[in-house]
Amino acid sequence: MKASDEDLARAAADGDRTAFALLISRVHDRVFALAFRLTGSRADAEDLTQDICAALPAKLRSFRGEARLTTWLYRITVNASRDRFRRLATHTRAAEGWGDWEISRRAADAETAERMDWLRLAMDALTPPELRETLVLVLEGLSHAEVASILGVSEGTISWRISEAKKKLKQMKEAEA
């Protein structure tokens, strides 16, 4: 006498490995076929079927036998497919956002590099050389007092040089426009 799918499901839920193996051999192709129709992708259908079969031992404990086993499995397959599409949509939105962020970051980096190139070229053209030296040291993060000590001049002179360097750099920028 051949056992029904429902009898095999109950036996598998009670830990009968042979019943579980026989049950999987009976339902695997039907679950795969439905998963394929739902996803439209062989690879996704294989993944989905594998996930369902792996989770089936635990899920069988909730099988009440009120419907045919195939009906119950189809519901699980439909729900698993929906979950997969939701995860994919969430992942896609996150990836798109990440892509937008990366594009913005690269644009900002390019803009910063362009500004730094301009500043380097403008500082090379800055005269007299004392203005360039002073500006370089201040841009390195040194205080006016530290720069004054390094260059052997007063802090007031450093402040004046920075002011002059800013004026000349502004004039260079305006001349380009």
Side-chain angles (χ1 to χ4, degrees):
M1 179 159 121
K2 184 176 172 185
S4 70
D5 289 347
E6 291 73 20
D7 291 337
L8 289 174
R10 284 191 268 298
D14 290 337
D16 185 338
R17 291 176 183 227
T18 305
F20 182 73
L22 184 55
L23 181 65
I24 289 294
S25 70
R26 285 187 187 179
V27 301
H28 182 275
D29 290 344
R30 287 184 270 178
V31 170
F32 173 79
L34 177 61
F36 181 73
R37 287 189 298 275
L38 290 169
T39 63
S41 162
R42 181 174 185 82
D44 287 343
E46 288 171 351
D47 289 347
L48 198 60
T49 302
Q50 183 177 0
D51 292 347
I52 291 167
C53 289
L56 200 53
K59 289 187 178 291
L60 281 172
R61 291 186 194 99
S62 69
F63 177 64
R64 296 187 303 260
E66 295 169 357
R68 288 187 12 214
L69 180 72
T70 52
T71 304
W72 180 77
L73 273 174
Y74 284 176
R75 172 57 43 205
I76 289 173
T77 304
V78 167
N79 288 339
S81 175
R82 287 177 181 169
D83 289 346
R84 181 176 286 273
F85 280 120
R86 276 192 289 270
R87 280 192 308 273
L88 180 61
T90 299
H91 177 74
T92 300
R93 282 192 304 273
E96 287 171 357
W98 183 258
D100 293 344
W101 177 84
E102 180 64 14
I103 289 168
S104 295
R105 185 192 65 79
R106 287 183 184 184
D109 287 352
E111 186 177 324
T112 299
E114 186 178 316
R115 287 180 179 172
M116 292 304 291
D117 286 345
W118 179 88
L119 183 59
R120 184 183 49 77
L121 292 172
M123 285 178 61
D124 286 348
L126 197 58
T127 56
E130 293 82 14
L131 295 180
R132 184 176 51 253
E133 292 168 353
T134 303
L135 189 56
V136 166
L137 291 170
V138 169
L139 290 175
E140 283 294 316
L142 300 174
S143 69
H144 285 205
E146 291 169 320
V147 174
S149 174
I150 291 168
L151 296 178
V153 296
S154 71
E155 281 186 59
T157 301
I158 298 302
S159 296
W160 177 85
R161 287 180 181 176
I162 294 296
S163 176
E164 285 298 305
K166 285 181 180 179
K167 284 180 196 174
K168 289 189 176 204
L169 290 172
K170 183 179 177 183
Q171 288 171 352
M172 287 180 197
K173 190 68 171 173
E174 288 171 352
E176 289 180 2

